[in-house]
Amino acid sequence: MLFNLRSFFHIKKLTWNNKHLLRHFWRGPPAQMNVSLKGRDLLTLQNYTADELKHLLWMASDLKHRIKHKGEYLPLMQGKALAMIFEKRSTRTRLSAETGFALLGGHPSFLTTQDIHLGINESLTDTARVLSSMTNAILARVYKHNDLELMTKEATIPVINGLSDLYHPLQILADYLTLQEHYGGLDGLTITWIGDGNNVLHSIMTSAAKLGMHLHIATPKGFEPDLRIMKITEQYSKEYGTKLLLTTDPLEAATGANVLVTDTWISMGQEEEKERRLKAFQGYQITMQTVKSAAPNWTFLHCLPRKPEEVDDEVFYSPRSLVFQEAENRKWTIMAVMVSLLTDYSPQLQKPTF
């Protein structure tokens, strides 16, 4: 299926050599957006407007510049506590949240299933109310997205999705910051997803068009994205005038792509399906053969951990691979989310640094 609808407004295409224009991925300076996210939850990027997404990216860029590059100390979370509930193991989400919150002067508390078993030894309602009385925000990495939705109804503090079966919004914010840093802008880029129709893809689908990005999706039959989310994505594509392609052919999806993205074929909880999935995904490995049909300035992203069957070493460790910059940006974007949801702080940078 291909959707190629013109926007109601003509947007002048940014050229690769126009570095001055490429430094601005929004229309007008972010300081004029008047965006306030304080007190909001972050369960899915579907609930955030284009300006709100851009504000989060601007905030991440600001914090990265001031803390990493200028060496400033910004105790914006001083006196605040973060409850971190992790039903699934994690490297980047846990480390970025813990170190980021502490770097801002806050106190993160890590809770595993050995400490807190959601809905079993205590109801979700009671857990949400107790954590609301002791902490300032909840970051939860869960199996069921419905658990997060129930938690937001009962909690009186912001709830942040650290990963669920439906979405992984924190990962995609890091991806967008990485692309913004590399390309200098997001509008007009074509993202190609080759792999499973999973939670990471769902978060791209519910946000890319808002930022002017086209989306190509290649999944094997039976592993397509959620139909409800597909309908939302089609609606966004029409509303924002972007292209949307859904296919089972990885090479077709890769044609003209600026960004090639994949993820694990076997998510946590799907280990029993390993043999069936490996067979179904034959031909979906991203290789140098795949990128031959991509745009000349193609790059590669993977949220990690990576398996060789998903992408070969030649692509994964190539200069075009942004995966380790992408991993670091998990920290700056999660810090941006926490600062935005818990404070009135506004970015101090007058213009992007990239």
Side-chain angles (χ1 to χ4, degrees), residues 243-296:
K243 298 174 186 176
L244 174 63
L245 171 69
L246 181 63
T247 180
T248 58
D249 183 352
L251 294 180
E252 180 186 8
T255 301
N258 304 106
V259 189
L260 294 133
V261 193
T262 192
D263 187 17
T264 181
W265 297 344
I266 306 160
S267 297
M268 285 176 278
Q270 297 176 336
E271 289 80 6
E272 292 182 0
E273 303 176 31
K274 181 176 180 178
E275 188 175 336
R276 180 176 73 92
R277 283 178 165 268
L278 288 177
K279 184 177 181 180
F281 282 88
Q282 286 182 12
Y284 278 75
Q285 183 191 45
I286 295 180
T287 67
M288 284 299 180
Q289 186 66 32
T290 313
V291 305
K292 282 184 178 180
S293 56

Coordinates of all heavy atoms in Angstrom, one line a residue, residues 243-296:
K243 N 4.6 10.0 2.8 CA 4.5 8.7 2.1 C 4.5 7.6 3.1 O 5.3 7.6 4.0 CB 5.6 8.5 1.1 CG 5.6 9.6 0.0 CD 6.8 9.4 -0.9 CE 6.9 10.6 -1.9 NZ 8.1 10.5 -2.7
L244 N 3.7 6.6 2.8 CA 3.7 5.4 3.7 C 3.6 4.1 2.8 O 2.8 4.0 1.9 CB 2.4 5.4 4.6 CG 2.2 4.2 5.4 CD1 3.3 3.9 6.4 CD2 0.8 4.3 6.2
L245 N 4.6 3.2 3.0 CA 4.6 2.0 2.2 C 4.7 0.8 3.1 O 5.5 0.8 4.1 CB 5.9 2.0 1.3 CG 6.2 0.7 0.6 CD1 5.2 0.4 -0.5 CD2 7.6 0.8 0.0
L246 N 3.8 -0.2 2.9 CA 3.8 -1.4 3.6 C 4.0 -2.5 2.7 O 3.2 -2.7 1.7 CB 2.5 -1.6 4.4 CG 2.3 -2.8 5.3 CD1 3.4 -2.8 6.4 CD2 0.9 -2.9 5.8
T247 N 5.0 -3.4 2.9 CA 5.4 -4.4 1.9 C 6.0 -5.6 2.7 O 6.3 -5.5 3.9 CB 6.4 -3.9 0.9 OG1 6.7 -4.9 0.0 CG2 7.7 -3.4 1.6
T248 N 6.2 -6.7 2.0 CA 6.9 -7.9 2.5 C 8.3 -8.0 1.9 O 9.0 -8.9 2.2 CB 6.1 -9.2 2.3 OG1 5.9 -9.3 0.9 CG2 4.7 -9.2 3.0
D249 N 8.6 -7.0 1.0 CA 9.9 -7.1 0.3 C 10.9 -6.1 0.9 O 10.7 -4.9 0.7 CB 9.6 -6.7 -1.2 CG 10.9 -6.8 -2.0 OD1 12.0 -7.0 -1.5 OD2 10.8 -6.7 -3.3
P250 N 11.9 -6.5 1.6 CA 12.9 -5.6 2.2 C 13.6 -4.7 1.2 O 13.9 -3.6 1.5 CB 13.9 -6.6 2.9 CG 13.2 -7.9 3.1 CD 12.2 -8.0 1.9
L251 N 13.9 -5.2 0.0 CA 14.6 -4.4 -1.0 C 13.7 -3.3 -1.5 O 14.1 -2.2 -1.8 CB 15.1 -5.2 -2.2 CG 16.2 -6.3 -1.8 CD1 16.6 -7.0 -3.0 CD2 17.4 -5.5 -1.2
E252 N 12.4 -3.6 -1.6 CA 11.4 -2.5 -2.0 C 11.4 -1.4 -1.0 O 11.4 -0.2 -1.3 CB 10.0 -3.1 -2.3 CG 9.0 -2.1 -2.7 CD 7.6 -2.7 -2.8 OE1 7.4 -3.8 -2.4 OE2 6.7 -1.9 -3.3
A253 N 11.3 -1.9 0.3 CA 11.3 -0.9 1.4 C 12.5 -0.1 1.5 O 12.5 1.1 1.8 CB 11.0 -1.6 2.7
A254 N 13.7 -0.6 1.2 CA 14.9 0.1 1.3 C 15.1 1.1 0.2 O 16.0 2.0 0.3 CB 16.1 -0.9 1.3
T255 N 14.4 1.0 -0.9 CA 14.6 2.0 -2.0 C 14.4 3.4 -1.6 O 13.3 3.8 -1.1 CB 13.6 1.6 -3.1 OG1 13.8 0.3 -3.6 CG2 13.8 2.6 -4.3
G256 N 15.4 4.2 -1.8 CA 15.4 5.6 -1.4 C 15.5 6.0 0.0 O 15.3 7.1 0.4
A257 N 15.7 5.0 0.9 CA 15.8 5.2 2.3 C 17.0 6.0 2.8 O 18.1 5.8 2.3 CB 15.7 3.9 3.1
N258 N 16.7 7.0 3.6 CA 17.8 7.7 4.3 C 18.2 7.0 5.5 O 19.4 7.0 5.9 CB 17.4 9.1 4.7 CG 16.9 9.9 3.5 OD1 15.6 10.2 3.4 ND2 17.7 10.4 2.7
V259 N 17.3 6.3 6.2 CA 17.5 5.6 7.5 C 17.0 4.2 7.4 O 15.8 4.0 7.1 CB 16.9 6.4 8.6 CG1 17.3 5.8 10.0 CG2 17.1 7.9 8.6
L260 N 17.9 3.2 7.6 CA 17.4 1.8 7.7 C 17.5 1.4 9.2 O 18.4 1.6 9.9 CB 18.4 1.0 6.9 CG 18.3 1.2 5.4 CD1 19.7 1.3 4.8 CD2 17.5 0.2 4.7
V261 N 16.3 0.9 9.6 CA 16.2 0.5 11.0 C 15.7 -0.9 11.1 O 14.9 -1.4 10.4 CB 15.1 1.4 11.7 CG1 15.2 1.3 13.2 CG2 15.3 2.9 11.3
T262 N 16.3 -1.6 12.1 CA 15.7 -2.9 12.5 C 15.9 -3.1 14.0 O 16.3 -2.3 14.7 CB 16.5 -4.1 11.7 OG1 15.7 -5.3 11.9 CG2 17.9 -4.3 12.2
D263 N 15.4 -4.3 14.4 CA 15.4 -4.6 15.9 C 15.4 -6.1 16.0 O 15.4 -6.8 15.0 CB 14.1 -4.0 16.5 CG 14.1 -4.1 18.0 OD1 15.1 -4.3 18.6 OD2 13.0 -4.0 18.6
T264 N 15.4 -6.5 17.2 CA 15.4 -8.0 17.5 C 14.2 -8.6 16.8 O 13.1 -8.1 16.7 CB 15.4 -8.3 19.0 OG1 15.4 -9.7 19.2 CG2 14.1 -7.7 19.6
W265 N 14.4 -9.8 16.3 CA 13.3 -10.6 15.7 C 12.6 -11.4 16.8 O 11.5 -11.9 16.6 CB 13.8 -11.6 14.7 CG 14.4 -10.9 13.5 CD1 14.3 -9.6 13.1 CD2 15.3 -11.5 12.5 NE1 15.0 -9.4 12.0 CE2 15.6 -10.5 11.6 CE3 15.8 -12.8 12.3 CZ2 16.4 -10.8 10.5 CZ3 16.6 -13.1 11.2 CH2 16.9 -12.1 10.3
I266 N 13.2 -11.5 18.0 CA 12.7 -12.4 19.1 C 12.7 -11.5 20.3 O 13.8 -11.4 21.0 CB 13.5 -13.7 19.3 CG1 13.6 -14.4 17.9 CG2 12.9 -14.5 20.3 CD1 14.7 -15.4 17.8
S267 N 11.6 -10.9 20.7 CA 11.6 -10.0 21.9 C 11.4 -10.9 23.1 O 11.1 -12.1 23.1 CB 10.3 -9.1 21.8 OG 10.5 -8.2 20.6
M268 N 11.7 -10.2 24.3 CA 11.6 -10.9 25.5 C 10.1 -11.4 25.7 O 9.2 -10.7 25.5 CB 11.9 -9.9 26.7 CG 13.4 -9.6 26.8 SD 13.8 -8.4 28.1 CE 13.5 -6.9 27.2
G269 N 10.0 -12.7 26.1 CA 8.8 -13.4 26.2 C 8.4 -14.2 25.0 O 7.4 -14.9 25.0
Q270 N 9.2 -14.1 23.9 CA 8.9 -14.8 22.6 C 9.9 -15.9 22.4 O 10.0 -16.4 21.3 CB 8.9 -13.8 21.5 CG 7.8 -12.8 21.5 CD 8.0 -11.8 20.4 OE1 9.0 -11.6 19.8 NE2 6.8 -11.1 20.1
E271 N 10.7 -16.3 23.4 CA 11.8 -17.2 23.2 C 11.3 -18.6 22.7 O 12.0 -19.2 21.9 CB 12.5 -17.4 24.6 CG 13.4 -16.2 25.0 CD 12.6 -15.1 25.7 OE1 11.3 -15.3 25.9 OE2 13.1 -14.1 26.0
E272 N 10.1 -19.0 23.0 CA 9.6 -20.2 22.6 C 9.3 -20.2 21.1 O 9.1 -21.3 20.4 CB 8.3 -20.6 23.3 CG 8.6 -20.9 24.8 CD 7.3 -21.3 25.5 OE1 6.2 -21.4 24.9 OE2 7.4 -21.6 26.8
E273 N 9.2 -19.0 20.5 CA 8.9 -18.9 19.1 C 10.2 -18.8 18.2 O 10.1 -18.5 17.0 CB 8.0 -17.6 18.8 CG 6.7 -17.6 19.6 CD 6.0 -16.3 19.4 OE1 6.1 -15.7 18.3 OE2 5.3 -15.9 20.3
K274 N 11.3 -18.9 18.8 CA 12.6 -18.6 18.2 C 12.7 -19.3 16.8 O 13.0 -18.7 15.8 CB 13.8 -19.0 19.1 CG 15.1 -18.7 18.5 CD 16.3 -18.9 19.4 CE 17.6 -18.6 18.8 NZ 18.7 -18.8 19.7
E275 N 12.5 -20.6 16.8 CA 12.7 -21.4 15.6 C 11.8 -20.9 14.5 O 12.2 -20.7 13.3 CB 12.5 -22.9 15.8 CG 12.9 -23.8 14.7 CD 12.8 -25.3 15.0 OE1 12.9 -25.6 16.2 OE2 12.7 -26.1 14.1
R276 N 10.5 -20.7 14.8 CA 9.6 -20.3 13.8 C 9.9 -18.9 13.3 O 9.8 -18.6 12.1 CB 8.2 -20.3 14.4 CG 7.1 -19.8 13.5 CD 5.7 -20.0 14.2 NE 5.5 -18.9 15.2 CZ 4.9 -17.7 14.9 NH1 4.5 -17.5 13.7 NH2 4.7 -16.9 15.8
R277 N 10.3 -18.0 14.2 CA 10.6 -16.6 13.8 C 11.9 -16.6 12.9 O 11.9 -15.8 11.9 CB 10.8 -15.8 15.0 CG 9.5 -15.4 15.7 CD 9.6 -14.6 16.9 NE 8.3 -14.0 17.3 CZ 7.9 -12.8 16.9 NH1 8.7 -12.0 16.1 NH2 6.7 -12.3 17.2
L278 N 12.9 -17.3 13.3 CA 14.1 -17.3 12.5 C 13.8 -17.8 11.0 O 14.4 -17.2 10.1 CB 15.2 -18.2 13.1 CG 15.8 -17.6 14.4 CD1 16.8 -18.6 15.0 CD2 16.6 -16.3 14.1
K279 N 13.0 -18.7 10.9 CA 12.6 -19.2 9.6 C 11.8 -18.2 8.8 O 12.0 -17.9 7.6 CB 11.8 -20.5 9.7 CG 11.4 -21.2 8.4 CD 10.7 -22.5 8.6 CE 10.3 -23.1 7.2 NZ 9.6 -24.4 7.4
A280 N 10.9 -17.5 9.5 CA 10.0 -16.5 8.8 C 10.8 -15.3 8.4 O 10.4 -14.7 7.4 CB 8.9 -16.1 9.8
F281 N 11.9 -15.0 9.1 CA 12.6 -13.7 8.8 C 13.8 -14.0 7.9 O 14.6 -13.1 7.7 CB 13.1 -13.1 10.1 CG 11.9 -12.3 10.8 CD1 11.1 -13.0 11.7 CD2 11.7 -11.0 10.6 CE1 10.1 -12.3 12.3 CE2 10.7 -10.3 11.2 CZ 9.9 -10.9 12.1
Q282 N 13.9 -15.1 7.3 CA 15.0 -15.4 6.4 C 14.9 -14.4 5.2 O 13.8 -14.2 4.7 CB 14.9 -16.8 5.8 CG 15.4 -17.8 6.8 CD 15.4 -19.2 6.3 OE1 15.2 -19.4 5.1 NE2 15.6 -20.2 7.1
G283 N 16.0 -13.7 4.9 CA 16.0 -12.7 3.8 C 15.8 -11.3 4.3 O 15.8 -10.3 3.5
Y284 N 15.6 -11.2 5.6 CA 15.4 -9.8 6.2 C 16.6 -9.3 6.9 O 16.5 -8.2 7.5 CB 14.2 -9.9 7.2 CG 12.9 -9.8 6.6 CD1 12.3 -10.9 5.9 CD2 12.1 -8.6 6.6 CE1 11.1 -10.8 5.2 CE2 10.9 -8.5 5.9 CZ 10.4 -9.6 5.3 OH 9.2 -9.6 4.6
Q285 N 17.7 -9.9 6.8 CA 19.0 -9.4 7.4 C 19.4 -8.2 6.5 O 19.3 -8.2 5.3 CB 20.1 -10.4 7.3 CG 21.4 -9.9 7.9 CD 22.6 -10.8 7.7 OE1 22.7 -11.3 6.5 NE2 23.3 -11.1 8.7
I286 N 19.7 -7.1 7.2 CA 20.2 -5.9 6.5 C 21.7 -6.1 6.2 O 22.5 -6.3 7.1 CB 20.0 -4.6 7.3 CG1 18.4 -4.4 7.5 CG2 20.6 -3.4 6.7 CD1 18.1 -3.2 8.3
T287 N 22.0 -6.0 4.9 CA 23.4 -6.2 4.5 C 23.8 -5.0 3.5 O 22.9 -4.2 3.2 CB 23.6 -7.5 3.7 OG1 22.8 -7.4 2.5 CG2 23.1 -8.7 4.6
M288 N 25.0 -5.0 3.0 CA 25.4 -4.0 2.0 C 24.6 -4.2 0.7 O 24.5 -3.3 0.0 CB 26.9 -4.1 1.8 CG 27.8 -3.5 2.9 SD 27.4 -1.8 3.1 CE 28.6 -1.4 4.4
Q289 N 24.1 -5.4 0.5 CA 23.3 -5.6 -0.7 C 21.9 -4.8 -0.5 O 21.4 -4.2 -1.4 CB 23.0 -7.1 -0.9 CG 22.2 -7.5 -2.1 CD 23.0 -7.1 -3.4 OE1 24.2 -7.2 -3.4 NE2 22.3 -6.8 -4.5
T290 N 21.4 -4.9 0.7 CA 20.2 -4.1 1.0 C 20.3 -2.7 0.8 O 19.4 -2.0 0.2 CB 19.8 -4.4 2.5 OG1 19.9 -5.8 2.8 CG2 18.3 -3.9 2.8
V291 N 21.4 -2.1 1.2 CA 21.6 -0.6 1.2 C 21.9 -0.1 -0.2 O 22.0 1.1 -0.4 CB 22.6 -0.1 2.2 CG1 22.3 -0.6 3.6 CG2 24.0 -0.6 1.8
K292 N 22.2 -1.0 -1.2 CA 22.5 -0.5 -2.5 C 21.3 0.3 -3.1 O 21.6 1.2 -4.0 CB 22.8 -1.7 -3.4 CG 24.2 -2.3 -3.2 CD 24.5 -3.4 -4.2 CE 25.9 -3.9 -4.1 NZ 26.2 -5.1 -5.0
S293 N 20.1 0.0 -2.7 CA 19.0 0.7 -3.2 C 18.6 1.9 -2.4 O 17.6 2.6 -2.7 CB 17.8 -0.2 -3.4 OG 17.4 -0.8 -2.2
A294 N 19.3 2.1 -1.3 CA 19.0 3.2 -0.3 C 19.5 4.5 -0.9 O 20.3 4.5 -1.9 CB 19.6 2.9 1.0
A295 N 19.2 5.6 -0.3 CA 19.7 6.9 -0.7 C 21.2 7.0 -0.4 O 21.8 6.3 0.4 CB 19.0 8.0 0.1
P296 N 21.9 7.8 -1.2 CA 23.4 7.9 -1.0 C 23.9 8.3 0.4 O 25.0 7.9 0.8 CB 23.8 9.0 -2.0 CG 22.7 9.1 -3.0 CD 21.5 8.7 -2.3

